């Protein structure tokens, strides 16, 4: 019996409403979702784990270009799908 591939997603936002809705939707799809509130320019989670998708909240996260660059520069996440969340 083979183990199913685990899909991991990271949401970069301090918005609790977005975190709640994102994690609920991911749970229904079988995706392991994590969130990061971003204290610095690039979330520590990008250096510590591999994600298949990263969502960045452009409305509430400062220095989004640095975060986007950090995703592409990180060893494990340079091929992750990147989505922007904005109003």
């Amino acid at each position: 019996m083979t183990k199913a591939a685990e899909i991991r997603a990271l949401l970069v936002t301090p918005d609790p409403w977005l975190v709640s809705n994102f994690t609920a939707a991911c749970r229904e799809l079988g995706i392991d979702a994590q969130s990061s509130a971003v204290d610095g320019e690039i979330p520590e989670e990008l250096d510590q784990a591999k994600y298949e998708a990263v969502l960045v909240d452009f409305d509430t996260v400062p220095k989004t270009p640095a975060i986007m660059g950090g995703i592409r520069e990180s060893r494990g996440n340079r091929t992750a799908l990147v989505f922007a969340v904005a109003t």
Side-chain angles (χ1 to χ4, degrees), residues 12 42-43 66-67 71 78 85:
V12 182
I42 300 169
I67 292 172
I71 294 168
R78 75 177 120 231
V85 178

Side-chain angles (χ1 to χ4, degrees), residues 11-16 18-19 35-38 55-58 60-61:
L11 173 63
V12 182
T13 184
D15 184 347
L18 185 55
V19 170
S35 64
S36 174
V38 184
L55 287 81
V56 181
D57 184 353
F58 273 52
T60 60
V61 174

Side-chain angles (χ1 to χ4, degrees), residues 11-35:
L11 173 63
V12 182
T13 184
D15 184 347
W17 180 86
L18 185 55
V19 170
S20 175
N21 285 306
F22 176 73
T23 54
C26 285
R27 194 174 317 117
E28 288 183 26
L29 297 170
I31 297 171
D32 178 27
Q34 293 183 310
S35 64

Side-chain angles (χ1 to χ4, degrees), residues 42 46-47 49 69-79:
I42 300 169
L46 290 173
D47 289 331
I71 294 168
R72 292 296 170 230
E73 291 172 3
S74 69
R75 281 186 302 191
N77 298 300
R78 75 177 120 231
T79 61

